Amino acid sequence: MHPGIALGTELTALVFFSTTGGSPDGALNRTAFTGVLWWAGGTLAVMWALMFCLPRQAHGQAD
């Protein structure tokens, strides 16, 4: 398994369970779930924007 997948899953669970505190309340779980979706979407948007800061490699150049 790729370490990034494990880290993303762990951080998502951390945000979710820190919001709910393990409560079985449906409304609280729904609020936590939408919070996690916004957190994950925001992280992906930042990563997408940072991709444009990476150096470009010429097409004919090999490492």
Side-chain angles (χ1 to χ4, degrees), residues 10-32:
E10 178 181 333
L11 291 175
T12 301
L14 178 71
V15 170
F16 181 82
F17 287 112
S18 68
T19 303
T20 63
S23 172
D25 179 24
L28 183 60
N29 286 333
R30 183 174 46 253
T31 301

Side-chain angles (χ1 to χ4, degrees), residues 15-51:
V15 170
F16 181 82
F17 287 112
S18 68
T19 303
T20 63
S23 172
D25 179 24
L28 183 60
N29 286 333
R30 183 174 46 253
T31 301
F33 182 71
T34 56
V36 166
L37 285 179
W38 281 108
W39 176 83
T43 302
L44 288 173
V46 168
M47 289 171 47
W48 176 80
L50 289 174
M51 283 189 328

